[in-house]
Amino acid sequence: MTDITDLGVAAIRDGIAAGTFSAVEVAEAFNANVAAAQDALNAFIVATPDHAIAAAKAIDARRAAGEALGPMGGVPIGMKDLFATTGVQTTAASHILEGFVPQYESTVSQKLWDAGAGLLGKLNLDQFAMGSSNESSHFGSVVSPWRRPGSNAPLTAGGSSGGSSAAIAARLVPAATGTDTGGSIRQPAAYTGTTGIKPTYGRCSRWGVVAYASSLDQAGAMARDVTDCAIMLESMAGFDPKDATSLNLPVPDWTAALSGDLKGKKVGIPKEYRVEGMPAEIEAIWEQGIAWLKDAGAEVVEVSLPHTQYALATYYIIAPAEASSNLARYDGVRYGLRDLPDGAGLQDMYAATRADGFGAEVKRRILIGTYVLSAGFYDAYYTKAQKVRALISQDFAKAFEQVDVLLTPTAPSAAFALGESNEDPIAMYLNDVFTVPASLAGLPAMSVPAGLDAQGLPLGLQIIGRPLDEQGVLNAGLAIEGRAAFAAKPETWW
Ligand code: GLN
């Protein structure tokens, strides 16, 4: 029999339902992999083997009693440490929230437990989800299970959901939650040969998710394949009165309607995504993706998104602006860390706690955000950025009058080595060049593994869909998945 930890969500759920193995056996197998990899990969901030076993026992008992097990019945998962989990430390990979144990459960995680999933642990990420490489985590960088041939140089698993992507690729979890503000599900998925979908803004509740940039933050599913992502996303999505931006719409049965047959569909290739200096291998995988979608029956046409060139600049005004406001709540009074120097007053406590509790990248964003929101510069930066954001959205709306989905590379390169790009924050921001536009427009988008580069590292393709058309995105993803037949897996060196 294949190793249980090589199985995905659907196979685990169905195997438990059929009695091929028990939920406890599954949890034990993944718990063992989590423990064995922790020192080398640092994918988890906290492992929760007991939670996984307890959930598994409950599923096995339900099966013995002949009860329904749920769409995620017996599937143990990893939870990005941005989701509040009752009784389990939730840090956003920050020092300021170190030791914070929520008394409540995020809506998304609660929905997953209700669907039968169990918790293997809280996954590492960039601090407050700010970053593209996981190097801003207070708990140290995640190390990708992938390596360049003949080299031990540790590579990034992407960010900010790098713990999630590394854990899936290394078979520590069959699936994990991610969040995506400007690309944090899609880029780590691309770097690790895994699959990740960010749904339409508002599909998943943000309640109980540590806020970064509220008008952009969106939870999503990360797993080995498109079907597993669809199953998991169905369990996560849905209206929540506790989130004012939650969409009050039914969650479609995406899994049932999955089809890689794209006859009658039109796929747009945005010409502005052919950015200068794009490596030939990225260009080539994109061409290959176009050929695959044609083979699946789609008509492929070129479209124009003329304001794409302003997307990164716009994002790096809006996201820090919202972050500076959201992070004002961490002041040493209500959550986590409190630094109270002898004889200090309230202001001193705020200053000491925040100076000590936030990492460099988080401070940089708070400073930029405070600046662009300041009275003298608000119109020049923030208001202007919001106007450009509207133009970017309109570009997509026009393109979607012509086509059903868009196909682009997910990231402008394969995974880089840790330490290779973190000197220059602007160079790091460029990683988001293909993912940020869909985030600004609130559109559903996913990354699917498409192949390996010359160094044997995974490359991903991105599909962007119309608002609420997760189905179209998943189906195009399935068409690529079937043709790419990506089966590469990192060697176990840890
Ligand atoms: N890399 C982007 C940033 O640093 C996106 C992060 C995210 O999507 N959370 O903001």
Side-chain angles (χ1 to χ4, degrees), residues 80 129-132 159-160 179-185 212 315-316 319 365 429 432:
K80 184 176 184 179
M130 297 173 186
S132 305
S160 64
T179 64
D180 192 311
T181 302
S184 277
I185 287 176
Y212 163 17
Y315 174 85
Y316 279 100
R365 309 252 179 141
Y429 298 169
D432 305 329

Side-chain angles (χ1 to χ4, degrees), residues 96-97 326-340 345-354 358:
I96 208 158
L97 279 176
N326 274 326
L327 272 57
R329 75 190 69 174
Y330 306 108
D331 54 9
V333 177
R334 283 164 295 186
Y335 314 85
L337 183 76
R338 174 177 302 161
D339 281 0
L340 189 57
L346 185 64
Q347 291 294 341
D348 305 314
M349 185 199 69
Y350 291 157
T353 303
R354 289 168 68 82
F358 290 134

Side-chain angles (χ1 to χ4, degrees), residues 128-300:
F128 285 103
M130 297 173 186
S132 305
S133 64
N134 234 292
E135 289 166 291
S136 72
S137 168
H138 173 67
F139 300 94
S141 307
V142 171
V143 175
S144 175
W146 292 88
R147 285 174 164 185
R148 293 174 182 145
S151 159
N152 291 343
L155 302 183
T156 180
S160 64
S161 311
S164 308
S165 64
I168 296 165
R171 276 47 181 174
L172 315 186
V173 302
T177 55
T179 64
D180 192 311
T181 302
S184 277
I185 287 176
R186 293 162 281 160
Q187 182 255 26
Y191 283 4
T192 54
T194 59
T195 309
I197 181 163
K198 171 198 102 72
T200 308
Y201 181 78
R203 273 284 192 208
C204 290
S205 170
R206 288 182 297 107
W207 196 81
V209 185
V210 176
Y212 163 17
S214 307
S215 76
L216 296 154
D217 296 345
Q218 188 54 207
M222 300 174 74
R224 302 256 166 71
D225 63 26
V226 172
T227 306
D228 285 359
C229 281
I231 293 170
M232 187 172 173
L233 189 62
E234 273 170 37
S235 297
M236 297 167 65
F239 177 60
D240 179 10
K242 289 191 279 202
D243 171 1
T245 57
S246 169
L247 290 167
N248 193 350
L249 292 170
V251 179
D253 189 342
W254 293 308
T255 314
L258 276 177
S259 161
D261 180 359
L262 303 185
K263 256 183 241 89
K265 298 287 178 196
K266 278 193 177 175
V267 177
I269 306 301
K271 63 174 187 214
E272 290 78 7
Y273 280 52
R274 293 190 195 281
V275 294
E276 216 176 297
M278 184 157 80
E281 285 178 309
I282 302 288
E283 186 85 49
I285 203 83
W286 196 7
E287 286 305 321
Q288 178 64 72
I290 292 171
W292 283 329
L293 293 182
K294 282 184 183 161
D295 184 57
E299 185 188 333
V300 177

Side-chain angles (χ1 to χ4, degrees), residues 27-44:
E28 281 171 349
F30 282 105
N31 278 342
N33 280 11
V34 169
Q38 185 54 25
D39 287 349
L41 304 185
N42 197 29
F44 285 83

